[in-house]
Structures are given as C-alpha cells and as structure tokens.
C-alpha cells in the first residue's frame, strides 16, 4: 500500500512537472517570436529611414544641378542678347564716323549732320535701355530659379528631418508557471512511508492500547467499563471482595 502511494506521488509529481515545463516552453517560444518580430520591425524602420535619407540626398543634388543648368542657360541667353545689342551699337557708331556724304554749303553749318547724330543717339539710348532690361530680367529669372530650387530642397529635407522615429514598446518578459511543490512530494512520500510501516507497529507484542504511558504488557481500562461493571460501587452493585495481602515478618 505504501509503495503504491509513493509510486503514485512520484508519478503525479513528474507528470505535473512535465506539463509545467511544456507550458513554460510554449510561453518562452511565444515571447521569442514576439521579440524577434519587434527587433526585425525596428531594423526595418531604420533601414527605411536610411533609404529615405539617401533618396533625399540624391533628389537634392538633382534639384541643385537642374537649377545650376537653368542659371547657366539663362546666362548664355543673356550674353547672346547682349552681344547682339553690342553689334547694333557698333554699327551705329560706325555710321556716325562715315558722315552724311553731303557737302557743307555754309549758312546752315550749325545744323550740319545734326539729325544724323540725334538718330544715332536715340539708337544708342534704346540699345542701352534694352541691355539694362535684359540684365534685370536675367537677374529675376536666376533668382526665381534659385528660390524654386531651395523650396524643393527644403521639401525634400522635411521628409527626413524628424529622424527615423522612436521604436515601439518592447515585448514584456513573460511570467513562467511554477512547477509542483517538492515539499508536497516529500510530505506524500513521508505519508507513504508511514503507511507502509503501520503494520509493523500493530504487530509489536505487549502493546494493546493507544494511550500515552501504556507500557509492555499493560492493558488500558476504559472508564465506561468501570461504570458498567456490576460490582462497581459507583453503580450500586456488589463491591469487589478485597483480600488484603499476607504480611510476612522477617525473622531475626
């Protein structure tokens, strides 16, 4: 009986331990899966941000190069227009050097070639005005190109200026289950040992009673037996016949 209880207690302890270990392994596996997914998401977030930073740098370079090309084109157009105006101005100045080709007949010498000089002066003034307007228009065009390029570069920069962002909360460490109590197993085994030893205590000679102080060969009397005895004076029965012991006198 005691051996069976011990085997049953050990088997129950091992079964409970195996079930607890299996559940804890499942809890650990789920936690590891969540932790790996969290770390992967964090690495993906950083990788996406770095890719955006690279794309923004490339786009900003392209915007700056496009603006520089536009300004260079504008500068070439301005130089070409200025060259044409300069050619016209040289033609006017060359015409002034040739004269009118009409002889000076006197009398009207004060107005000789005056109209030609006036026309040449007006042409020179018109060319100077055109060159001034060309310079202003070129400056405005270049300025607009720079402003547009700067706005586009700022718009690109705003896509990454806040950084990759903060990582989400990491998965919390799980709480594992506690296994069966070893103290309970020890108590069960002790109970099984006592159960196994009980027949040996019952078969011990000279012990017939369960009261404290009962020695070998001593039979305990139940107080109820005393009260129910017909010879007991407590119940009104016939008293016991008491015979005093014989006294012996030692001879000198």
């Amino acid at each position: 009986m005691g051996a069976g209880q011990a085997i049953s207690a050990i088997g129950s302890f091992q079964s409970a331990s195996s079930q607890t270990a299996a559940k804890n392994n499942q809890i650990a596996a789920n936690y590891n899966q969540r932790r790996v997914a969290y770390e992967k998401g964090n690495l993906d977030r950083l990788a996406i941000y770095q890719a955006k930073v690279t794309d923004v740098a490339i786009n900003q370079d392209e915007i700056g190069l496009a603006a520089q090309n536009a300004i260079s084109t504008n500068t070439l157009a301005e130089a070409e227009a200025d060259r044409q105006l300069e050619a016209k101005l040289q033609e006017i100045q060359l015409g002034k050097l040739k004269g009118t080709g009409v002889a000076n007949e006197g009398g009207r010498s004060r107005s000789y070639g005056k109209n030609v000089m006036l026309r040449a002066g007006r042409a020179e003034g018109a060319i100077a005005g055109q060159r001034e307007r060309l310079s202003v228009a070129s400056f405005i065009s270049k300025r607009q190109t720079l402003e547009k390029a700067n706005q586009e570069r700022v718009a690109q920069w705003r896509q990454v200026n806040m950084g990759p962002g903060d990582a989400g909360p990491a998965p919390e460490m799980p709480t594992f289950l506690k296994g069966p109590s070893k103290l309970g197993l020890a108590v069960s085994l002790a109970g099984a040992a006592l159960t196994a030893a009980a027949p040996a205590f019952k078969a011990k000679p000279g012990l017939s009673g369960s009261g404290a102080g009962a020695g070998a060969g001593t039979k305990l009397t139940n107080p109820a037996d005393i009260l129910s005895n017909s010879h007991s004076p407590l119940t009104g029965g016939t008293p016991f016949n008491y015979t005093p012991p014989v006294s012996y006198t030692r001879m000198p």
Side-chain angles (χ1 to χ4, degrees):
M1 182 67 179
Q5 290 181 353
I7 294 174
S8 177
I10 293 174
S12 299
F13 179 82
Q14 291 179 347
S15 177
S17 299
S18 300
Q19 292 178 1
T20 303
K23 292 180 180 179
N24 286 334
N25 289 334
Q26 184 63 35
I27 293 173
N30 293 336
Y31 169 73
N32 290 332
Q33 185 177 4
R34 294 194 304 270
R35 181 175 58 83
V36 169
Y38 168 77
E39 292 178 354
K40 181 179 181 300
N42 192 28
L43 293 176
D44 290 342
R45 176 179 57 84
L46 296 177
I48 291 173
Y49 174 73
Q50 292 299 328
K52 280 187 175 180
V53 171
T54 303
D55 292 340
V56 166
I58 293 174
N59 293 336
Q60 286 184 336
D61 291 341
E62 291 179 352
I63 292 171
L65 182 61
Q68 185 176 3
N69 291 335
I71 292 174
S72 299
T73 302
N74 191 296
T75 302
L76 291 176
E78 179 185 3
E80 179 62 22
D82 187 74
R83 188 188 63 80
Q84 293 178 2
L85 293 176
E86 181 67 23
K88 291 182 179 181
L89 182 60
Q90 291 179 0
E91 290 178 0
I92 294 172
Q93 292 177 350
L94 183 60
K96 290 170 61 177
L97 294 175
K98 290 180 180 180
T100 60
V102 179
N104 187 0
E105 297 177 353
R108 300 181 61 187
S109 59
R110 295 180 180 179
S111 61
Y112 175 74
K114 185 176 181 180
N115 294 332
V116 175
M117 297 300 294
L118 291 176
R119 286 194 299 270
R122 287 194 296 268
E124 290 176 353
I127 290 175
Q130 290 179 5
R131 296 181 72 174
E132 188 68 23
R133 287 192 299 271
L134 178 63
S135 177
V136 173
S138 178
F139 174 80
I140 293 174
S141 178
K142 293 177 183 179
R143 189 66 181 179
Q144 289 178 348
T145 301
L146 287 175
E147 291 293 337
K148 183 179 179 180
N150 289 332
Q151 290 178 1
E152 292 178 355
R153 288 169 62 88
V154 169
Q156 290 288 327
W157 173 75
R158 285 176 178 173
Q159 297 179 7
V160 295
N161 68 322
M162 298 301 293
D166 297 331
E172 297 181 357
M173 191 68 180
T175 301
F176 294 97
L177 301 178
K178 294 182 178 180
S181 175
K182 294 182 179 180
L183 179 61
L185 176 62
V187 171
S188 299
L189 293 177
L194 291 177
T195 302
F201 286 107
K202 289 182 180 180
K204 186 176 181 180
L207 182 60
S208 60
S210 59
T218 303
K219 183 178 181 180
L220 299 179
T221 303
N222 192 353
D225 296 337
I226 298 176
L227 293 177
S228 63
N229 195 332
S230 61
H231 298 284
S232 177
L234 297 177
T235 59
T238 304
F240 290 103
N241 293 324
Y242 176 72
T243 303
V246 178
S247 61
Y248 296 92
T249 304
R250 184 179 182 182
M251 296 301 292

